[in-house]
Amino acid sequence: GSGSASQTLKFMLYEDQNMNGNPFESGDEIYEFTEGTVLSGNAWQTLSMPYNNFTKFGGGTGTLDLNRIGAWRIVVVNTSGAPVSSS
């Protein structure tokens, strides 16, 4: 693709507080790393995501525990609302 300044990358970590294998329950925590420029270029880019740059998105007490991560999600948000094409 040609890259787009109107796309935001989000990387989300789902923390399973009680370690029961379901990180999507009430009380479990979600942390999010957001980056707004990495998708705007025309070439591959290296992205660094330091853990202290993740912010609490929902649930739980607010301390990221990497030993309890049960799932992750990559989200690309089209912030312009306009159609995005690969050409």
Side-chain angles (χ1 to χ4, degrees), residues 26-47:
S26 175
D28 287 339
E29 297 178 335
I30 304 168
Y31 291 88
E32 174 182 81
F33 176 85
T34 302
E35 213 296 321
T37 61
V38 72
L39 299 175
S40 63
N42 294 329
W44 285 96
Q45 295 185 38
T46 300
L47 175 64

Side-chain angles (χ1 to χ4, degrees), residues 12-24 28-31 64-73:
M12 303 173 85
L13 299 174
Y14 291 77
E15 187 177 316
D16 187 358
Q17 286 288 313
N18 58 7
M19 296 297 291
N20 68 350
N22 183 1
F24 306 109
D28 287 339
E29 297 178 335
I30 304 168
Y31 291 88
L64 177 58
D65 183 348
L66 298 176
N67 293 320
R68 295 181 181 268
I69 300 302
W72 54 269
R73 176 179 289 170

